[in-house]
Structures are given as structure tokens and as C-alpha cells.
Amino acid sequence: MKKMLKVFGIITIVACLIVSVIACDKTDNSVKVVAVSDSEYASVEDALKGYVKEELAFSMHLDLMQQELDVVLAEYVSHESKGEVAGDNIKLSDDQKTGFVSAEKFAVKVKIALAPNSNKEADFSEATQTVYVLKYGEKYKFMVSTPEIGERVTNSYVKMLTEGSKYENCTVTAVGMEKEEEDEKPIFNSATEFKFTAEASYSVKYYDETRYNNRAPGKDEERYDMVSYVVKNGDSIAAVNKTYGADDEVKWMAINNSAGDVSTIKDYNKSMIQTYIFSIFNSIPAAIYTKTANGFEFKVEEVDSDGDKETVEYKITVSDEKVTGIYMIEAYTWSANDKTYVDSFESDIKISAFGSTTVTVPSEVTAALNK
């Protein structure tokens, strides 16, 4: 498959939620508070510009090079007041209420683009965001709420959704599918299942679709499924892995964790989820996505001079202020000899069983720790 797109575009999906006549009679004017800025500003416009900088732009700190790498550029264009909002309708915390005077709702027009490569200009597109400005004494702060459908997602919204404590007990499944030009449909590549609890964690990487569907890890003539438990081992933690030796003899091998900042199962769970699941929000930051009825997503298609098309699409599903699904597909489409071909790779991650996930540690794992 050819190298995938470097420049992403945005498509907006507008969804309509249809409710009953009875439900419509009960209007809820409350505003969800995702975050209130730490910084104070001298004017409303300054607060709105602060919102654009802090919530839509995105950069990464490169420790080795001691410099910031811009990933997403965001520029303030203009704003329009949508009127004052009753303070009782904004669900501020007790700390956020201290010194609070009033609130006003704004529609803010912005320009957003991925940071271009050297010697290229940024390809900006416009968006309109809902922003609240809170007055504290003679100063102002911006307030972030849940993005409205069709708006760009904000950094604080993603931070809220991916907060580590929400995923201390859950089950994660990730399935990868590939399609080569000669394949009629995508074919199973591999799948991984994680079970995270505070006492122990369990993971299996499956290389056979039937074994995955049956949740029965095993071995065939080509390879074996990788089974691992992470458990407490004294004051630290250890990974105990199932391996196969000569004549398919099963062996359990324990490896103590050497990372000083990961000393508990909760630390391990958080590290795994942030590194292997939510790290996508570093490569594809919040403002690249557009809010939908069920979460947020983006899709871009680019056609080159030969008529070949590259497509990248991500769909993030959100429920109860948690990420419950991440779907990704990258595809390359081209034609030859009056026939159309498609190469693709797709990944489908599901997060479920919040608060009800359990892990039973087999006796072989305990025995491996005592060797």
C-alpha cells in the first residue's frame, strides 16, 4: 500500500436528534462545564483568542531537541455574541463560582489547519465554535463546554474523555483487518483483548480469527497467541507470559517491571491505555475531528494526477463521557486494465464492561513468580 495521506481534511456530519412532544415540553437550559481557563484576560476578545490558542491549536514538546513542534494551527477570525447566560444554568464547581459575575455565549469564527511541511503554506479551513466567556470581577475567562454537533472538538473535551480513572476497570478489544488488491474483502490480521482491573491485568494477542471469536488462545503450525498477565509481585509488578518450548511444552515466564514510575497495576493500566489507545490524539489532535451525534470523526480523500485515491477515516464513539469505540480505515484505490483495485487496513477498537471486568489469575502464574 502506498504511503497514506499527510494532510487531513474535515468533513462535517450534521445529525438530528428526534425526541417526543412530551420531552420537548421540558427544555433543559443547563450548560455542561468541561473546563474553565486558568488564565484571566483583560477583555472578552482576548479571552476568545485565548480559547482558540489553548483549545484548538496543538503542539508537541520534543524533549530530545528541546523544542515545540506545531501540529495544528488555529487562528481567531471574529466573534458574535449570542447573549448572556443565566449563571444558574452553568454548572460551575464551588471553586469556579468564586468571584463569578456573569456569563455570555459567543459564536467564534476560526481558521484551522495542520501545520505544513517546510516551504509550504498552511491549508486553512473555517469553522464556527460555541464559546462561553465568564466575567470574574473586571477580568474574563473562557469556558469550554461539550462541542455542538458540527463543531470542532477541543483539547479540554478530549482530556476529559480520556481521563485515566475512567478506564481503571474495563475490557478493550482491538481487531485489525487488511485487504490486498487480490482479496475480495478485508481479511483478519490479528486481534488483541485486554482486561484491566486494579488487582491484575490480562491480555491476549490472537493470530487466528476462530480462536479470537471463541476467546480460546492456542497455537498452530505457524505461531501461537501471546498470553500475558500483569500481577503484583511484592512491592512491584511483574508480567507473566505464556510461551511454548520444544515439543509444544507450555512455559510461564515472569519478568519484573523495571520502570520506576509504574509500580502498581493501576499505573500499568493507565500507561497501556494512554500509550496504545489514546496516543492517537497526539498524531490526530482534537481540532481535526468534527463532533457528531455519537462522538466525533474526520474523513479525507485525496486524488492524485493519475486518478489514484487515498482515503483516511477515523470514527470515535462516545458514551457516558467515555470513549467506547475507535474505528480507523486507510485505503488506497486505483484502476488498471479497466478494473478497480483497493488496498486497505482497518482497525476497530471497542471499550466495554466498565466497572464489571474481572481477571482470574491461574495457578501457573503464581508458580512462575516463585521460581
Side-chain angles (χ1 to χ4, degrees), residues 164-203:
S165 64
K166 297 181 178 183
Y167 305 90
E168 290 177 350
N169 182 283
C170 66
T171 297
V172 179
T173 59
V175 180
M177 305 283 287
E178 281 188 300
K179 183 184 180 305
E180 301 283 343
E181 60 181 85
E182 64 273 12
D183 298 327
E184 292 185 4
K185 60 181 182 179
I187 296 173
F188 178 90
N189 176 274
S190 64
T192 303
E193 181 180 45
F194 294 97
K195 292 188 176 183
F196 297 113
T197 77
E199 295 75 30
S201 292
Y202 165 78
S203 67

Coordinates of all heavy atoms in Angstrom, one line a residue, residues 164-203:
G164 N -7.7 9.1 33.0 CA -7.3 7.7 33.3 C -8.2 7.0 34.2 O -8.4 5.7 34.1
S165 N -8.7 7.6 35.3 CA -9.5 6.9 36.3 C -10.8 6.3 35.7 O -11.3 5.3 36.2 CB -9.9 7.8 37.4 OG -10.8 8.9 36.9
K166 N -11.2 6.8 34.5 CA -12.4 6.2 33.9 C -12.2 4.8 33.3 O -13.2 4.1 33.0 CB -12.9 7.1 32.8 CG -13.4 8.5 33.2 CD -13.9 9.3 32.1 CE -14.3 10.7 32.5 NZ -14.9 11.5 31.4
Y167 N -10.9 4.4 33.1 CA -10.6 3.2 32.4 C -9.8 2.2 33.3 O -9.2 1.3 32.8 CB -9.8 3.5 31.2 CG -10.6 4.5 30.3 CD1 -10.4 5.9 30.4 CD2 -11.5 4.1 29.3 CE1 -11.1 6.8 29.6 CE2 -12.2 5.0 28.5 CZ -12.0 6.3 28.7 OH -12.7 7.2 27.9
E168 N -9.9 2.4 34.6 CA -9.2 1.5 35.5 C -9.8 0.1 35.6 O -9.1 -0.8 35.9 CB -9.2 2.1 37.0 CG -8.3 3.4 37.1 CD -8.4 4.0 38.5 OE1 -9.3 3.5 39.3 OE2 -7.6 4.9 38.8
N169 N -11.0 0.0 35.2 CA -11.7 -1.3 35.1 C -12.5 -1.4 33.9 O -13.6 -0.8 33.8 CB -12.6 -1.6 36.4 CG -13.2 -3.0 36.3 OD1 -14.2 -3.2 35.6 ND2 -12.7 -3.9 37.1
C170 N -12.0 -2.1 32.9 CA -12.7 -2.2 31.6 C -12.1 -3.2 30.7 O -11.0 -3.8 31.0 CB -12.7 -0.8 30.8 SG -11.0 -0.3 30.3
T171 N -12.8 -3.6 29.6 CA -12.3 -4.6 28.7 C -12.1 -3.9 27.3 O -13.0 -3.1 26.9 CB -13.3 -5.7 28.5 OG1 -13.4 -6.4 29.8 CG2 -12.8 -6.7 27.5
V172 N -11.0 -4.1 26.7 CA -10.7 -3.5 25.4 C -10.4 -4.6 24.4 O -9.6 -5.5 24.6 CB -9.4 -2.6 25.5 CG1 -9.1 -2.0 24.1 CG2 -9.6 -1.5 26.5
T173 N -11.1 -4.5 23.2 CA -10.8 -5.4 22.1 C -10.4 -4.6 20.9 O -11.0 -3.6 20.7 CB -12.0 -6.3 21.8 OG1 -13.1 -5.5 21.4 CG2 -12.4 -7.2 22.9
A174 N -9.4 -5.1 20.2 CA -8.9 -4.4 19.0 C -8.7 -5.4 17.9 O -7.9 -6.3 18.1 CB -7.6 -3.6 19.3
V175 N -9.4 -5.2 16.8 CA -9.3 -6.1 15.7 C -8.7 -5.4 14.5 O -9.2 -4.3 14.1 CB -10.7 -6.7 15.3 CG1 -10.6 -7.7 14.1 CG2 -11.3 -7.4 16.5
G176 N -7.7 -6.0 13.8 CA -7.1 -5.4 12.6 C -7.5 -6.3 11.4 O -7.4 -7.5 11.5
M177 N -7.8 -5.6 10.3 CA -8.2 -6.3 9.1 C -7.4 -5.6 7.9 O -7.2 -4.4 7.9 CB -9.7 -6.1 8.8 CG -10.6 -6.5 9.9 SD -10.8 -8.3 10.0 CE -11.9 -8.6 8.5
E178 N -7.0 -6.5 7.0 CA -6.2 -6.0 5.8 C -6.9 -6.5 4.5 O -7.5 -7.5 4.5 CB -4.8 -6.5 5.9 CG -3.9 -5.8 6.8 CD -2.4 -6.2 6.6 OE1 -2.2 -7.4 6.9 OE2 -1.6 -5.4 6.3
K179 N -6.7 -5.7 3.5 CA -7.2 -6.1 2.2 C -6.1 -5.8 1.1 O -5.7 -4.6 1.0 CB -8.5 -5.4 1.8 CG -9.0 -5.8 0.4 CD -10.3 -5.0 0.0 CE -10.8 -5.5 -1.3 NZ -9.8 -5.4 -2.4
E180 N -5.6 -6.8 0.5 CA -4.7 -6.6 -0.6 C -5.5 -6.6 -1.9 O -6.7 -6.9 -2.0 CB -3.7 -7.8 -0.7 CG -2.9 -7.9 0.6 CD -1.8 -6.9 0.7 OE1 -1.4 -6.3 -0.4 OE2 -1.2 -6.7 1.8
E181 N -4.8 -6.2 -3.0 CA -5.5 -6.0 -4.3 C -6.2 -7.2 -4.8 O -7.3 -7.2 -5.4 CB -4.6 -5.4 -5.3 CG -3.4 -6.4 -5.6 CD -2.5 -5.8 -6.7 OE1 -1.6 -5.0 -6.3 OE2 -2.7 -6.1 -7.9
E182 N -5.6 -8.4 -4.5 CA -6.2 -9.7 -5.0 C -7.4 -10.2 -4.1 O -8.0 -11.1 -4.4 CB -5.2 -10.7 -5.1 CG -4.5 -11.2 -3.8 CD -3.3 -10.3 -3.4 OE1 -3.1 -9.2 -4.0 OE2 -2.6 -10.7 -2.5
D183 N -7.5 -9.6 -2.9 CA -8.6 -10.0 -2.0 C -9.9 -9.5 -2.3 O -10.0 -8.3 -2.7 CB -8.2 -9.6 -0.5 CG -6.9 -10.2 0.0 OD1 -6.6 -11.4 -0.4 OD2 -6.2 -9.6 0.8
E184 N -11.0 -10.3 -2.2 CA -12.3 -9.8 -2.4 C -12.8 -8.9 -1.3 O -13.6 -8.0 -1.5 CB -13.3 -11.0 -2.6 CG -13.0 -11.8 -3.9 CD -14.0 -12.9 -4.1 OE1 -15.0 -12.9 -3.3 OE2 -13.9 -13.6 -5.1
K185 N -12.4 -9.2 -0.1 CA -12.8 -8.4 1.1 C -11.7 -8.4 2.1 O -10.8 -9.2 2.0 CB -14.1 -9.0 1.7 CG -14.0 -10.4 2.2 CD -15.3 -11.0 2.7 CE -15.1 -12.4 3.3 NZ -16.4 -12.9 3.8
P186 N -11.8 -7.5 3.1 CA -10.8 -7.5 4.1 C -10.6 -8.8 4.9 O -11.6 -9.5 5.1 CB -11.3 -6.4 5.1 CG -12.1 -5.5 4.2 CD -12.8 -6.4 3.3
I187 N -9.4 -9.1 5.2 CA -9.1 -10.4 5.9 C -8.5 -10.1 7.3 O -7.7 -9.2 7.5 CB -8.1 -11.2 5.1 CG1 -8.7 -11.6 3.7 CG2 -7.6 -12.5 5.8 CD1 -7.7 -12.2 2.8
F188 N -8.9 -10.9 8.2 CA -8.4 -10.8 9.6 C -6.9 -10.9 9.6 O -6.3 -11.7 9.1 CB -9.0 -12.0 10.4 CG -8.5 -12.1 11.9 CD1 -9.2 -11.4 12.9 CD2 -7.4 -12.8 12.2 CE1 -8.8 -11.5 14.2 CE2 -7.0 -12.9 13.5 CZ -7.7 -12.2 14.5
N189 N -6.3 -9.9 10.3 CA -4.9 -9.8 10.5 C -4.5 -10.3 11.9 O -3.7 -11.2 12.1 CB -4.4 -8.4 10.2 CG -2.9 -8.2 10.5 OD1 -2.5 -8.0 11.6 ND2 -2.1 -8.4 9.5
S190 N -5.0 -9.6 12.9 CA -4.7 -10.0 14.3 C -5.7 -9.3 15.2 O -6.4 -8.4 14.7 CB -3.3 -9.7 14.7 OG -3.1 -8.3 14.7
A191 N -5.8 -9.7 16.4 CA -6.7 -9.1 17.4 C -6.1 -9.2 18.8 O -5.4 -10.1 19.1 CB -8.1 -9.7 17.4
T192 N -6.4 -8.2 19.6 CA -5.9 -8.2 20.9 C -7.1 -7.9 21.9 O -7.9 -7.1 21.6 CB -4.8 -7.1 21.1 OG1 -3.8 -7.3 20.2 CG2 -4.3 -7.1 22.6
E193 N -7.1 -8.6 23.0 CA -8.1 -8.4 24.1 C -7.3 -8.0 25.4 O -6.4 -8.7 25.8 CB -9.0 -9.6 24.3 CG -10.0 -9.4 25.4 CD -10.9 -10.6 25.6 OE1 -10.4 -11.7 25.7 OE2 -12.1 -10.4 25.7
F194 N -7.7 -6.9 26.0 CA -7.1 -6.5 27.3 C -8.3 -6.5 28.3 O -9.4 -6.1 28.0 CB -6.6 -5.1 27.2 CG -5.4 -4.9 26.3 CD1 -5.6 -4.4 25.1 CD2 -4.1 -5.1 26.8 CE1 -4.5 -4.2 24.2 CE2 -3.0 -4.9 26.0 CZ -3.2 -4.4 24.7
K195 N -7.9 -7.0 29.5 CA -8.9 -6.9 30.6 C -8.1 -6.2 31.8 O -7.1 -6.7 32.2 CB -9.4 -8.2 31.1 CG -10.3 -8.9 30.1 CD -10.9 -10.2 30.6 CE -11.9 -10.7 29.6 NZ -12.6 -11.9 30.1
F196 N -8.6 -5.0 32.2 CA -7.9 -4.2 33.2 C -8.7 -4.2 34.5 O -9.9 -3.8 34.5 CB -7.7 -2.7 32.7 CG -6.9 -2.6 31.4 CD1 -7.5 -2.2 30.2 CD2 -5.5 -2.9 31.5 CE1 -6.7 -2.1 29.1 CE2 -4.7 -2.7 30.3 CZ -5.3 -2.3 29.1
T197 N -8.0 -4.6 35.6 CA -8.6 -4.4 36.9 C -7.5 -3.9 37.8 O -6.4 -3.8 37.4 CB -9.1 -5.7 37.5 OG1 -8.0 -6.5 37.9 CG2 -9.9 -6.5 36.4
A198 N -7.9 -3.5 39.0 CA -6.9 -2.9 40.0 C -6.0 -4.0 40.5 O -4.9 -3.7 41.0 CB -7.6 -2.2 41.1
E199 N -6.5 -5.3 40.5 CA -5.7 -6.3 41.1 C -4.8 -7.1 40.1 O -3.7 -7.5 40.5 CB -6.6 -7.4 41.7 CG -7.4 -6.8 42.9 CD -8.6 -5.9 42.5 OE1 -9.1 -6.1 41.4 OE2 -8.9 -5.0 43.3
A200 N -5.2 -7.2 38.9 CA -4.5 -7.9 37.9 C -5.0 -7.5 36.5 O -6.1 -7.1 36.3 CB -4.6 -9.4 38.0
S201 N -4.1 -7.6 35.5 CA -4.5 -7.3 34.1 C -4.1 -8.5 33.2 O -3.2 -9.3 33.5 CB -3.8 -6.1 33.6 OG -4.3 -4.9 34.3
Y202 N -4.9 -8.7 32.1 CA -4.7 -9.8 31.3 C -4.8 -9.3 29.8 O -5.6 -8.5 29.5 CB -5.9 -10.8 31.6 CG -6.2 -11.9 30.6 CD1 -5.4 -13.0 30.5 CD2 -7.2 -11.8 29.7 CE1 -5.6 -14.0 29.6 CE2 -7.5 -12.8 28.8 CZ -6.7 -13.9 28.8 OH -7.0 -14.9 27.9
S203 N -4.0 -9.9 29.0 CA -4.0 -9.6 27.6 C -3.7 -10.8 26.7 O -2.9 -11.7 27.1 CB -3.1 -8.5 27.2 OG -1.7 -8.9 27.4

